[in-house]
Amino acid sequence: MNTELFEINDENRNTDASKEAIERAGKILQGGGLVAFPTETVYGLGGDALNPESSRKIYAAKGRPSDNPLIVHICRWEDLSQIVKEIPETAKRLADAFWPGPLTMILEKSDKVPGETTGGLSTVAVRMPDDQTALALIRAAGGFIAAPSANVSGRPSPTLAKYVQEDLGGKVEMILDGGQACIGLESTIVDLTDKVPTILRPGYITKEMLSEILGEVETDRAILPEGSSQTPKAPGMKYRHYAPKAELTIIAGEEKAVIRKINELVAEAEKKGLRSGVIATETTMARYNASLVKNAGSREKEETVAKELYRILREFDEEEVDVIYSESFAESGIGQAVMNRLLKAAGHRVEEAGEP
Ligand code: TXA
Ligand code: MG
């Protein structure tokens, strides 16, 4: 299959060429084809959410197990009532506060949504993304796009169109390039079908932000460090995701001790002839001796780390490093989402740095 690549940026957004490209992409989706598109979190691999054949194609293109349900993306609040049984008060309040935005809600699905889209579940995940190209595309496609992250299963979610091209080139009809995703980690998922709203996947919208709107909010124990042996409620969270090819280890502890420990590990690795990479931060990166040291951003602003993490993991793949050592990040705010993804990428390998 020939994949058309079309870039939409702030300069050409309102030109006829861009509008026509989105119309063309909408037609592809309505005809049962696949289009990858930008969102503010990560790129999505879109198909018509109400067409079971499209969902089957999505699973095939990603190499994803078909029991792992897809998120349905909408562009108008009014459309929600078509795909869910009922709209609880909690959903209204969250939508007022956070849509369009990086929040996915789990609700009871209506008959209109095929089981192929929801992995056989009676619930559906819904999100209204905060990206102009995404919203225009959803409208052009008829209102409902099922879209997982646009990566091959097991690889980091793409934050740039070139990574979508790498993973899905030849497997989708079209890729819309909207530049770098501004958040860089997948949406927060909150389940509203239980008595107490429950976070199934941490993201940019934090527990504190949700609690401000809803009051009591729980976190699925399986996604907390102490619950890693339990089965997560979001089927996708059980897979070893976001994995770089190299073995990744997180080093935890006080800054000085972490730097010393990582430098020791790097020296050992290089003695064995292994190429090592380090995930560092603005203020620490100059203090490492590894062959490849990457600046993930600023510790004071962990959203910068969220934005760069997946790009860094992919770059280490391209550069064929054998082992990666990473500093660890806060377990609160957006840092919780960063740590959640980093722990998965590391297969939960964490070493304590010891005394400084
Ligand atoms: O930011 C995002 O959410 C991106 C962009 C493209 O919107 N999408 C994304 O989709 O991350 P995906 O398929 O990679 O992750 C969806 C997650 C999976 O872990 C899946 O198991 C969970 O959502 N999920 C979907 N429907 C669910 C449901 N009905 N109940 C529980 N979990 C569900
Ligand atoms: Mg994904």
Side-chain angles (χ1 to χ4, degrees), residues 55 105 162 177 244 353:
S55 292
M105 303 186 213
K162 69 169 180 178
D177 179 352

Side-chain angles (χ1 to χ4, degrees), residues 11-293:
E11 266 88 73
N12 75 354
R13 185 176 305 286
N14 292 313
T15 61
D16 287 346
S18 293
K19 289 180 190 159
E20 278 160 29
I22 288 180
E23 285 311 313
R24 202 155 63 243
K27 293 241 163 60
I28 291 170
L29 291 166
Q30 292 200 11
L34 303 182
V35 175
F37 61 98
T39 84
E40 79 281 30
T41 57
V42 299
Y43 277 76
L45 164 57
D48 178 358
L50 307 184
N51 179 349
E53 193 47 44
S54 300
S55 292
R56 273 186 224 116
K57 280 191 198 165
I58 291 175
Y59 290 115
K62 265 186 81 92
R64 169 166 172 155
S66 58
D67 68 343
N68 188 1
L70 308 174
I71 296 175
V72 179
H73 295 68
I74 61 172
C75 62
R76 291 172 292 244
W77 167 255
E78 311 84 81
D79 290 344
L80 180 62
S81 60
Q82 293 190 50
I83 54 170
V84 302
K85 257 202 187 125
E86 54 182 348
I87 300 177
E89 184 55 34
T90 46
K92 277 198 197 100
R93 275 190 268 149
L94 288 181
D96 271 344
F98 301 117
W99 276 3
L103 180 71
T104 296
M105 303 186 213
I106 308 287
L107 298 162
E108 297 294 341
K109 79 173 189 74
S110 74
D111 294 340
K112 206 166 170 170
V113 185
E116 281 79 358
T117 300
T118 63
L121 297 177
S122 62
T123 54
V124 61
V126 193
R127 170 165 118 80
M128 190 190 295
D130 186 13
D131 179 281
Q132 289 186 59
T133 300
L135 292 169
L137 178 67
I138 298 165
R139 204 167 303 123
F144 306 96
I145 299 184
S149 48
N151 52 287
V152 161
S153 215
R155 297 211 69 199
S157 296
T159 52
L160 289 162
K162 69 169 180 178
Y163 297 138
V164 180
Q165 173 81 45
E166 253 175 53
D167 281 15
L168 299 174
K171 296 183 189 168
V172 298
E173 275 83 352
M174 195 167 174
I175 298 172
L176 294 174
D177 179 352
Q180 185 175 9
C182 61
I183 291 179
L185 295 180
E186 306 84 349
S187 61
T188 304
I189 302 180
V190 61
D191 185 351
L192 298 177
T193 64
D194 253 345
K195 261 184 245 102
V196 181
T198 305
I199 296 173
L200 307 189
R201 180 174 72 184
Y204 185 84
I205 306 289
T206 60
K207 188 174 187 175
E208 295 71 34
M209 290 158 82
L210 293 172
S211 297
E212 238 173 72
I213 308 290
L214 298 178
E216 193 190 355
V217 173
E218 282 177 358
T219 303
D220 182 7
R221 278 183 51 78
I223 62 172
L224 296 172
E226 66 270 24
S228 58
S229 60
Q230 303 192 9
T231 304
K233 289 184 183 149
M237 297 296 280
K238 71 175 181 262
Y239 297 105
R240 180 169 176 258
H241 257 202
Y242 324 116
K245 289 174 195 148
E247 185 181 279
L248 166 63
T249 307
I250 301 166
I251 311 301
E254 191 272 329
E255 184 178 283
K256 248 193 182 157
V258 167
I259 293 169
R260 202 190 52 203
K261 178 77 182 176
I262 290 181
N263 276 330
E264 276 169 25
L265 290 166
V266 165
E268 274 170 39
E270 311 234 310
K271 227 188 268 163
K272 288 185 210 149
L274 298 175
R275 235 164 109 74
S276 52
V278 174
I279 301 180
T281 44
E282 241 161 43
T283 46
T284 58
M285 66 176 296
R287 292 155 70 188
Y288 291 104
N289 311 321
S291 35
L292 283 164
V293 182

Side-chain angles (χ1 to χ4, degrees), residues 225 250 331 338-350:
I250 301 166
E331 300 272 1
V338 171
M339 268 316 270
N340 171 266
R341 308 309 195 272
L342 200 56
L343 280 163
K344 291 186 108 195
H348 288 268
R349 227 181 342 265
V350 183

